[in-house]
Amino acid sequence: MHHEALRNGIRQAEADAGERDELLTPEEENELAQLPREAVAGLLLRSRPRCHGC
């Protein structure tokens, strides 16, 4: 097994257990898949950090 595959698996397991906030759980991924694309795009744009002075 490639070390990155193992690393990604561990990160996902931690997210599934609620230990990591930056990754989605399978339930959250399914919820996003049910939303219309426009709603998902709006959520992603609002969650991005804003660049002040760019």
Side-chain angles (χ1 to χ4, degrees):
M1 177 183 275
H2 193 271
H3 69 277
E4 282 298 314
L6 179 60
R7 181 178 158 278
N8 289 337
I10 292 169
R11 289 179 67 220
Q12 189 62 55
E14 291 172 346
D16 295 348
E19 298 171 5
R20 296 182 81 100
D21 291 335
E22 71 271 13
L23 298 176
L24 297 176
T25 65
E27 293 82 19
E28 292 169 330
E29 288 177 357
N30 289 335
E31 188 177 322
L32 276 177
Q34 300 302 317
L35 294 173
R37 290 185 188 269
E38 296 81 21
V40 173
L43 289 171
L44 293 175
L45 288 174
R46 283 188 293 225
S47 68
R48 288 190 346 191
R50 302 199 194 286
C51 180
H52 300 287
C54 290

